[in-house]
């Protein structure tokens, strides 16, 4: 099956710093990648959708200047949390979809961000 | 926008008992997906239902899609401790076919 990796798996940072999370499709070309955030005991909340080579589409209420998404290649998308604050602490998960896959997405293992 | 309601939010069962989670939508769905997320893990795709009235089985798991394609259920027969986790339904919406998620049902199984 299709494999999606995320790096790092865990990160702890100080308030005010920026954190970059990478999402890679290892054995397929991901034309679309999705970024989610999940708070403890809650459902996944879609933050943004990114298509390779174009700007990400952000969901309502998600600050695009705070959560920078880059989908520069068909195998890599990055999410940068800028000037992180403790309330940004969460589980960030990406998923990826290949060309012609219709509704199928494969999820990365997630990145747990803790902002002190 | 598209919403999907999922109940119950929590379910605590004794090992060997059955478990069911339900998802409902006010609008007709093109399809519905089910995922399982273990504690500390990421969502793992279980199945996608597309056809009206569809029933699919995976060992002890039975998935149903309603005749009107507005509701779906996941039933686990004779739960085991390995079934512990949160079960989510998700539906596709929008031009990007993004997933709209139910709130999930957290299953705890007493050995």
């Amino acid at each position: 099956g299709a494999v999606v990796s995320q790096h790092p798996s865990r990160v702890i940072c100080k308030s005010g710093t920026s954190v970059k999370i990478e999402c890679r499709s290892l054995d397929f070309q991901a034309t679309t990648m999705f970024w989610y955030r999940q708070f403890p005991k809650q459902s996944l909340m879609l933050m943004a959708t990114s298509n390779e080579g174009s700007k990400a589409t952000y969901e309502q209420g998600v600050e695009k200047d705070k959560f920078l998404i880059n989908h520069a290649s068909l195998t890599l998308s990055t999410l940068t949390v800028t000037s992180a604050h403790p309330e940004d602490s969460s589980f960030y998960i990406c998923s990826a979809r290949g060309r012609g896959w219709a509704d199928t997405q494969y999820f990365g293992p997630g990145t747990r961000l803790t902002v002190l | 926008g598209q919403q999907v309601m999922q109940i119950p939010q929590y379910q605590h069962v004794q090992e060997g008992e059955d478990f069911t989670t339900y998802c409902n939508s006010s609008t007709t769905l093109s399809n519905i997906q089910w995922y399982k997320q273990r504690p500390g893990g990421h969502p793992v795709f279980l199945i996608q239902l597309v056809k009206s009235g569809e029933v699919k089985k995976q060992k002890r798991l039975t998935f149903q899609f309603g005749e009107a394609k507005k509701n779906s259920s996941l039933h686990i027969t004779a739960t085991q401790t390995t079934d512990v986790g949160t079960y989510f339904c998700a539906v596709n919406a929008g031009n990007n076919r993004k997933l709209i998620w139910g709130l999930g049902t957290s299953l705890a199984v007493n050995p």
Side-chain angles (χ1 to χ4, degrees), chain A residues 23-112:
Chain A
C23 177
R24 292 182 185 273
S25 57
L26 300 186
D27 53 0
F28 67 99
Q29 293 185 330
T31 51
T32 304
M33 285 187 170
F34 302 88
W35 286 96
Y36 297 87
R37 180 168 53 181
Q38 186 179 33
F39 292 107
K41 299 190 185 299
Q42 293 189 21
S43 188
L44 280 74
M45 290 182 55
L46 180 65
M47 300 176 66
T49 302
S50 75
N51 292 298
E52 187 266 339
S54 60
K55 290 184 179 180
T57 301
Y58 289 81
E59 294 298 303
Q60 192 171 5
V62 178
E63 301 174 57
K64 61 181 181 180
D65 293 331
K66 181 169 181 61
F67 299 99
L68 302 178
I69 292 173
N70 186 295
H71 191 167
S73 78
L74 284 171
T75 59
L76 173 65
S77 177
T78 60
L79 165 67
T80 301
V81 183
T82 61
S83 187
H85 290 95
E87 57 266 30
D88 298 323
S89 299
S90 187
F91 192 45
Y92 291 86
I93 310 172
C94 73
S95 70
R97 186 172 67 203
R99 194 185 313 278
W101 284 11
D103 299 327
T104 302
Q105 301 178 23
Y106 288 90
F107 284 80
T111 296
R112 193 162 301 281

Side-chain angles (χ1 to χ4, degrees), chain B residues 93-110:
Chain B
N95 293 331
N96 264 324
R97 305 298 286 170
K98 61 185 180 183
L99 284 175
I100 305 299
W101 294 74
L103 291 180
T105 297
S106 291
L107 172 63
V109 180
N110 276 346

